[in-house]
Amino acid sequence: MDKIPEVVQNQPLETLKGCKGYYACPQCPDGRLLGPLVGYAGQYDAPDGTKKHFVGRVYYNFAMAEQWPHLLTFFANGVRVAMRSRMSDDSYTSLFVGAPMGGIRLAGELGRVYGKRAIFAEKKVTAAATGNQREKSMLVWGRHSPEAGDHVVLVEDLVNNYSTTAELVALVEQAGAEVIAVACAINRSPEDHYHAPDGREIQVASYLHIPTEQFKQEDPAVAEYIAAGQICWKPKLEWVKLEAAMANAKAD
């Protein structure tokens, strides 16, 4: 039986570490990496004309926390405090919309905490994965959808490049609803607001705001490790490998 992870009051990062949801690539004193880099969802235009994923040394795996109801409640209450701080009136919210998949359970828990409606968007695959490309998909309404006039808070487990946010904003507004804020457990972007295409600044309410460095694959700081295959492109699916890297570094 799994040991029940503890809540570390007012310390979301320590709580995440306690449920084995945090990876930091171990390093030698001289800076040499002892474990794999990790791939991020965000993309950029590479010099060769293709789209490539950013990479980094740190990964926040909120999926490890959301499977424990008491931890999900802990993070939702922390997000609620952030919403009250960032928004002029959080009670103005009429609907929480979760981003698939990471925001679905957190949106549901925020709905419970606030006593408000909570739904989620769904992914529709538009192109299957190939040898060097992830599958392509678009967000759609499935089981539920917003109502015209809803004041919506978008919910994600983690935000950084806001690609999912942009797609969700468009989807919500097509339904005649209004996005009034973005809520998340972790914001690893330097920004504490989202710049919408129409020029609006939408507040981002996060329990943990921790700007985290990311790299283009051509960056000299990471290029040699990628060339050597020292990277996990899908960290959640290779989490055992990442945990082992940290454990081995401690043992040494």
Side-chain angles (χ1 to χ4, degrees), residues 91-111:
S91 66
Y92 192 54
T93 305
S94 63
L95 177 67
F96 290 96
V97 172
M101 292 289 297
I104 292 177
R105 292 204 64 196
L106 184 58
E109 184 63 14
L110 282 167

Side-chain angles (χ1 to χ4, degrees), residues 244-252:
M246 290 195 295
N248 292 337
K250 288 181 180 179
D252 294 340

Side-chain angles (χ1 to χ4, degrees), residues 42-83:
Q43 295 180 300
Y44 65 95
D45 294 315
D48 62 5
T50 64
K51 290 276 189 182
K52 290 186 177 181
H53 291 273
F54 286 103
V55 302
R57 302 188 185 110
V58 176
Y59 198 85
Y60 310 97
N61 188 355
F62 189 72
M64 300 298 285
E66 71 177 11
Q67 61 190 325
W68 295 97
H70 68 295
L71 296 189
L72 194 60
T73 299
F74 165 75
F75 278 97
N77 283 328
V79 172
R80 186 180 194 182
V81 171
M83 286 177 59

Side-chain angles (χ1 to χ4, degrees), residues 4 8 57 73 113 117 136 140 142 175 178 180 184 196 206 209:
I4 298 175
V8 183
R57 302 188 185 110
T73 299
V113 168
R117 197 166 148 242
K136 295 182 180 180
V140 298
E178 177 188 2
I180 60 173
C184 60
S206 59
H209 185 194

Side-chain angles (χ1 to χ4, degrees), residues 44 55 213-224 226:
Y44 65 95
V55 302
E213 192 173 25
Q214 64 181 12
F215 303 89
K216 293 181 179 180
Q217 295 180 35
E218 299 78 18
D219 192 309
V222 299
E224 65 176 291
I226 295 173

